[in-house]
Amino acid sequence: MALPVAFFAVFFAWPVAAIVARGLKTGGAWRFGRIADVVAQPDIRHVLWFTTWQALASTALTLLLALPAAFVFARLDFPGKQVLRAVVTVPFVLPTVVAGSAFLALVGHGGLLDQLWGVRLDTTVWAILLAHVFFNYAVVVRTVGGLWSQLDPRQEEAARMLGASPFHAWRKVTLPALAPAVAAAALMVFLFTFTSFGVVQILGGPAFSTLEVEIYRQTSEVFDLSTAAVLTLVQFAAVGAVLAVHAWTVRRRESALRLVDPKVTARRPRGAGQRALLAGVLGTVALLVVLPLAVLVRRSLDAPGFGYYRALTRTDGGTFLVAPVHAVWTSLQYAVAATAIAVVVGGLAAAALARRDAGRLVRGFDALLMLPLGVSAVTVGFGFLIALDRPPLDLRQSWILVPLAQALVGAPFVVRTMLPVLRAVDVRLREAAAVLGASPWRVWREIDLPLVRRALLVAAGFAFAVSLGEFGATVFIARPDNPTLPVAVARLLSRPGDLNYGQAMALSTILMVVCAAALLLLERLRTDRTGEF
């Protein structure tokens, strides 16, 4: 635990504490009364209200559209199921900037809806809600569908034989068993939408602002660190409450159910109802997931002769100090370094948490590992600049600063992927090897590593994908001569002109292809033992 604790203390707790202290401390005295003053401001209360209700609306809409797909993936077997699973998951590993760009190409000025019917939804709340569903669709499908596929169908069949209707049997038997998974998925979607930044920044315009966007505005535009610190504390408290409830629902899901092999529960569609449901889910995926991505690719090809892609190789002297295509190589380098850090830190944390003799303090660290996914990435990025500005950790001019920030987001995915597999390793195998004279290192190399190798590769793939798309912290610390792909996309979208817009679509397409390739590789490596996320 020494290295994981030190890593999160130095590169997460310290920067967040530094930015909060800078905002709430004046002349050596704490100004806690500032919290009430900020929350009482009408515009801040409007931001809090919009952040909360759009997260609730996004969560409800996501559940409504994704639960039928969870059933289809869990209970039905059809050609192309694995490919479709990968397609559905692509938006989740894409950066929110790309998700926003995809919907901007669909519903924005000159988008597909504008060209066909003269309808524009950008800068409206509907664009934000639909983009959130697009981004979080896989969370519900994977979380609920993963459990649904392992529920014993004979219990529901027994209720049917005793005279219950299909809906009554589902409501009385299956739904109570699924409730913990549905609650866990809903809480995760709420967490991601409550802290939404890239989607709202691109699609919301000046009319809509979440807490994360307001923290960014107060920090980088208004330079009001006091207000930003208060909003950070408010978001931290809300995220902590959500994670506590999420941890409780996960424990219920893990301890209250008897599961079966998912391979025996999936069957070919039977009857007109199941066929219609399958067709409806396929249509929803086509419209909600495939269409925005396809429009994104098409808009990147509007210029003849791959003009937008060729423009990426030139320096315009305004937006970037280097050619935009340089961001591709920079992002890949940063993501590889961040993946290595996340695998080491997350792997050690998972190994410590998997021990049966782990104490309560160690188990409590498991919940803390999830905080970087919910705490303001903008706060973390700006905190890096404030906290890591003097020896022995003066890293502001170092290239490693960006991978460190990205690894904070990747490490929780490594822990969540490796922990179930490490806990499943029979401790008697380790004990037998130790009795035969094997050293602890050899026990790990000969016993644990062969069993967790595939999970380790899956964890590395997820860490690579999320590191590649990290935006909130990177936008503060990426150097102008070394922008990452998400930062480059956001900068291009912020400037007027068709050429800048087209280059943003081209860079987004490149980023989407790289993330999709990593995800398809994960699908080939994924086993039932590695878990869903």
Side-chain angles (χ1 to χ4, degrees):
M1 289 295 295
L3 182 60
V5 169
F7 178 79
F8 279 92
V10 173
F11 299 113
F12 176 68
W14 186 17
V16 172
I19 190 70
V20 171
R22 180 69 66 91
L24 294 181
K25 202 171 183 181
T26 303
W30 290 92
R31 299 168 55 208
F32 291 107
R34 178 63 177 159
I35 298 177
D37 295 338
V38 170
V39 175
Q41 296 176 15
D43 55 337
I44 298 299
R45 282 187 294 177
H46 175 74
V47 169
L48 292 172
W49 167 243
F50 175 75
T51 301
T52 304
W53 86 256
Q54 66 82 24
L56 291 172
S58 298
T59 302
L61 191 58
T62 303
L63 289 174
L64 178 66
L65 295 176
L67 283 176
F71 169 81
V72 166
F73 280 102
R75 296 297 190 180
L76 301 184
D77 188 20
F78 52 92
K81 181 177 177 178
Q82 296 302 320
V83 175
L84 187 63
R85 184 197 296 271
V87 170
V88 165
T89 315
V90 164
F92 180 74
V93 299
L94 287 179
T96 55
V97 172
V98 176
S101 301
F103 270 83
L104 190 64
L106 179 63
V107 303
H109 175 68
L112 183 63
L113 295 184
D114 192 13
Q115 294 178 6
L116 294 179
W117 298 294
V119 175
R120 290 182 56 186
L121 297 178
D122 58 324
T123 69
T124 69
V125 70
W126 280 108
I128 295 173
L129 296 181
L130 290 174
H132 282 161
V133 175
F134 166 83
F135 186 76
N136 294 289
Y137 192 81
V139 175
V140 178
V141 171
R142 293 266 183 165
T143 304
V144 180
L147 178 61
W148 208 335
S149 66
Q150 298 180 73
L151 292 180
D152 193 343
R154 291 174 296 183
Q155 298 178 15
E156 188 173 330
E157 292 170 358
R160 294 281 305 277
M161 293 182 64
L162 293 174
S165 65
F167 176 75
H168 188 73
W170 177 82
R171 185 170 62 88
K172 291 292 187 179
V173 178
T174 304
L175 183 59
L178 286 177
V182 174
L187 286 169
M188 289 299 291
V189 174
F190 181 85
L191 174 66
F192 290 137
T193 53
F194 188 83
T195 59
S196 180
F197 177 56
V199 168
V200 180
Q201 181 80 347
I202 292 175
L203 295 175
F208 302 105
S209 178
T210 57
L211 269 174
E212 188 82 357
V213 174
E214 187 64 19
I215 291 172
Y216 174 78
R217 191 180 74 86
Q218 294 290 340
T219 303
S220 63
E221 298 178 10
V222 184
F223 303 108
D224 186 351
L225 293 185
S226 177
T227 300
V230 171
L231 297 180
T232 297
L233 290 176
V234 172
Q235 183 168 313
F236 188 85
V239 168
V242 170
L243 289 177
V245 176
H246 176 254
W248 176 68
T249 58
V250 168
R251 283 196 299 270
R252 286 187 57 195
R253 185 181 65 179
E254 290 178 343
S255 60
L257 299 173
R258 293 182 179 180
L259 307 179
V260 299
D261 187 348
K263 295 180 180 178
V264 303
T265 62
R267 301 175 180 175
R268 291 284 184 175
R270 294 178 296 180
Q274 288 190 354
R275 294 190 183 93
L277 181 61
L278 176 59
V281 168
L282 294 177
T284 301
V285 171
L287 291 175
L288 186 65
V289 178
V290 177
L291 182 60
L293 298 178
V295 171
L296 176 68
V297 176
R298 189 192 68 82
R299 291 300 300 271
S300 73
L301 298 173
D302 277 350
F306 298 95
Y308 292 142
Y309 289 90
R310 288 189 286 106
L312 296 177
T313 63
R314 300 192 294 267
T315 304
D316 62 6
T319 308
F320 303 103
L321 300 179
V322 295
V325 74
H326 182 73
V328 177
W329 176 239
T330 300
S331 291
L332 291 175
Q333 289 178 302
Y334 285 160
V336 169
T339 300
I341 298 171
V343 167
V344 172
V345 173
L348 289 173
L353 294 169
R355 291 180 62 90
R356 298 181 186 274
D357 58 349
R360 182 176 299 177
L361 183 61
V362 174
R363 292 194 299 270
F365 186 64
D366 187 15
L368 296 178
L369 289 172
M370 294 290 290
L371 282 178
L373 296 181
V375 174
S376 171
V378 172
T379 299
V380 174
F382 197 65
F384 268 35
L385 298 180
I386 292 177
L388 306 179
D389 63 340
R390 59 180 61 91
L393 286 175
D394 186 1
L395 301 177
R396 288 182 300 174
Q397 301 300 320
S398 174
W399 66 272
I400 197 64
L401 200 61
V402 174
L404 287 171
Q406 294 173 343
L408 281 173
V409 182
F413 285 89
V414 174
V415 175
R416 296 270 71 82
T417 304
M418 294 189 62
L419 191 55
V421 182
L422 286 169
R423 283 175 173 166
V425 176
D426 192 340
V427 68
R428 292 173 298 181
L429 295 175
R430 301 188 184 108
E431 293 171 350
V435 168
L436 293 174
S439 64
W441 165 247
R442 188 174 181 185
V443 171
W444 163 256
R445 181 166 54 88
E446 299 290 346
I447 302 297
D448 291 77
L449 184 58
L451 295 174
V452 303
R453 181 184 292 114
R454 187 164 293 181
L456 182 63
L457 293 174
V458 172
F462 268 122
F464 178 81
V466 299
S467 298
L468 196 67
E470 204 287 321
F471 174 65
T474 308
V475 71
F476 273 94
I477 57 182
R479 296 170 56 178
D481 57 341
N482 281 307
T484 62
L485 275 169
V487 172
V489 170
R491 288 180 183 174
L492 287 167
L493 288 174
S494 67
R495 301 193 67 193
D498 290 338
L499 180 60
N500 288 315
Y501 182 84
Q503 289 183 89
M505 297 297 106
L507 276 181
S508 297
T509 301
I510 293 172
L511 185 53
M512 178 187 69
V513 170
V514 175
C515 289
L519 183 63
L520 289 173
L521 180 61
L522 294 185
E523 278 298 315
R524 294 181 62 88
L525 296 174
R526 188 181 66 88
T527 65
D528 292 331
R529 297 179 61 187
T530 59
E532 291 296 336
F533 279 106

